[in-house]
Amino acid sequence: MQIDSRIVKRLGLAMGAACVVVAGTLVVRAAPAPAPVYSVAGDAVVGAGALRAAIDPLFEDEAMGETRALLVMRDGQVIAERYAPGFGPDTKLLSWSIAKSVTAVLVGLMVSDGRLALDSPVPVAAWSQPGDPRGKITLRQLLQMRSGLDHVEDGEPITSGDTVRMLFTDGARDMRAYAESKPLAHAPGAVFSYSTGSSVILSDLMTRMLTSSADPAVRRQAMATFIDGRLKAPGKLPSLTPEYDAAGTMIGGSILHMTARDYGRFGELLRNNGRSPNGHQILPEKWVDFMRMPSPRNPAYGAHLWLNRESGESALMPGRAPDSLFGCVGHNGQYILISPSQRLTVVRIGMSPEKEQRAAVRGALARLMGLFPG
């Protein structure tokens, strides 16, 4: 049923009149929106003016798309922070593929516990039939994106790609089953092929190490308890919020939420070789070394982590930032950039759907980081 526009106008006038208190002069008005947060430390190694001049284009230059949050940490302290209107320090922000790096950290915890082994075949029921070549895929190969599975990350049109189908259409109810059903396109280990499906397979594998139950609620709770006790609490990441599919599998390759400050603290965990803000070793240093070790099939990729190396498939800024730089990268321009030589972690969360926009963002981030010594 349609409502006549004149009725809508009369309703609006009536609501406006109701905001006037007739028995006095008080008029109820909507509270003004809070000013967007923008702070820069005055005692940082880089001057406040120079920092602002490097940060402002990320928010004000339309060629970069939309920046929602920008955070700069040095030696673990926030020295600059800016948010777009409607966002702030307490806003949980969607990560997309930054989730992959979180998944790799969780896998590292299970490897350190002895629950998983890097070079053992991954125990997947769908691959266990005699003669199935997928039965040779190892944990290392899944982490380095060289499983050989036939996964199309970005389809043309986009809805035809395996990632969209797995996350949002015919594979969404049981993402693990969708990812594990894919045949081999290449021999395991032979080719680098970026795959959100590989991260979902890892998530299911971890869940099965924690519970034998197929009940989705039990699976979610088992994984959530592990994350809370081994990463969220000791890593001081209170906003860390993963998502799960209907089968109770954590969506380990995407759709994870944190505040910008917690993304920064996660980056600091990696910069400090697995040590928490209070210095406690919660992730083995050797595992962080492994995450930063170049994949044999792509020097710009480690184990669910991007490296600042020249490659035909590079997501960072080789030649414009230190070689030691590494980072977590998400769809449409989400970045946690970690530069050990500069004692620096930079977070940018936003929406830059065009390739040219993301290139401009990376250039601006490189200029920002270039202000710092090291």
Side-chain angles (χ1 to χ4, degrees):
M1 180 179 68
Q2 292 184 337
I3 301 176
D4 189 282
S5 61
R6 290 170 297 177
I7 298 175
V8 174
K9 290 178 182 178
R10 286 199 297 270
L11 287 170
L13 289 171
M15 291 298 293
C19 292
V20 179
V21 179
V22 179
T25 58
L26 176 64
V27 177
V28 179
R29 296 185 178 92
V37 173
Y38 189 1
S39 63
V40 175
D43 56 352
V45 66
V46 176
L51 274 175
R52 288 178 181 272
I55 291 169
D56 289 348
L58 284 154
F59 288 83
E60 298 165 9
D61 187 344
E62 293 181 359
M64 299 188 198
E66 177 192 355
T67 295
R68 297 172 177 173
L70 191 287
L71 184 86
V72 181
M73 300 179 74
R74 192 164 192 267
D75 292 328
Q77 301 299 312
V78 176
I79 61 170
E81 187 174 25
R82 181 175 175 179
Y83 296 89
F87 300 88
D90 297 324
T91 305
K92 289 185 181 182
L93 299 155
L94 179 62
S95 75
W96 296 112
S97 287
I98 287 175
K100 291 179 172 67
S101 301
V102 176
T103 293
V105 165
L106 296 171
V107 171
L109 292 170
M110 288 202 173
V111 170
S112 70
D113 291 346
R115 300 175 193 257
L116 298 172
L118 263 178
D119 294 306
S120 295
V122 176
V124 173
W127 304 345
S128 63
Q129 296 300 314
D132 191 327
R134 297 175 299 176
K136 297 180 180 179
I137 297 172
T138 66
L139 191 71
R140 185 188 299 268
Q141 290 165 347
L142 285 170
L143 286 162
Q144 294 178 334
M145 298 297 184
R146 53 191 185 99
S147 70
L149 292 171
D150 185 12
H151 176 94
V152 178
E153 185 71 8
D154 299 307
E156 185 57 51
I158 191 170
T159 52
S160 69
D162 287 309
T163 299
V164 168
R165 291 180 61 191
M166 181 181 68
L167 293 178
F168 302 113
T169 62
D170 52 311
R173 290 196 61 79
D174 192 343
M175 298 183 191
R176 180 263 330 157
Y178 182 93
E180 292 175 356
S181 71
K182 304 298 289 185
L184 284 183
H186 307 279
V191 173
F192 176 84
S193 181
Y194 188 84
S195 166
T196 298
S198 291
S199 306
V200 170
I201 292 169
L202 290 169
S203 293
D204 173 67
L205 175 63
M206 288 191 287
T207 304
R208 289 188 284 111
M209 296 299 106
L210 297 169
T211 177
S212 60
S213 176
D215 185 300
V218 174
R219 285 166 56 83
R220 284 193 298 271
Q221 186 58 55
M223 196 66 197
T225 299
F226 180 77
I227 293 169
D228 289 354
R230 298 295 299 277
L231 178 60
K232 187 172 180 175
K236 309 298 182 187
L237 306 171
S239 68
L240 170 58
T241 306
E243 300 271 1
Y244 300 82
D245 70 6
T249 303
M250 183 182 79
I251 309 172
S254 191
I255 314 181
L256 176 145
H257 313 265
M258 278 193 270
T259 64
R261 292 176 182 178
D262 280 358
Y263 284 123
R265 278 188 280 267
F266 179 75
E268 284 291 292
L269 173 69
L270 297 176
R271 187 182 70 83
N272 288 313
N273 298 306
R275 288 187 294 276
S276 69
N278 61 10
H280 179 60
Q281 193 80 42
I282 63 175
L283 178 70
E285 185 170 346
K286 287 184 177 180
W287 186 260
V288 180
D289 290 341
F290 165 65
M291 289 179 67
R292 295 174 57 189
M293 183 185 303
S295 165
R297 302 304 177 199
N298 183 0
Y301 200 78
H304 275 41
L305 199 67
W306 288 95
L307 312 177
N308 201 36
R309 307 288 183 90
E310 293 287 351
S311 166
E313 297 181 79
S314 177
L316 299 183
M317 55 274 287
R320 294 181 291 169
D323 292 343
S324 62
L325 176 74
F326 61 96
C328 320
V329 179
H331 181 61
N332 283 347
Q334 326 303 323
Y335 297 96
I336 304 176
L337 302 175
I338 303 123
S339 180
S341 64
Q342 296 173 292
R343 295 140 49 197
L344 199 64
T345 294
V346 175
V347 175
R348 187 269 184 177
I349 304 293
M351 189 68 178
S352 302
E354 302 299 329
K355 182 179 179 180
E356 295 77 14
Q357 292 175 330
R358 295 191 294 277
V361 168
R362 289 194 299 274
L365 291 171
R367 289 189 290 275
L368 170 61
M369 299 182 77
L371 299 174
F372 292 84

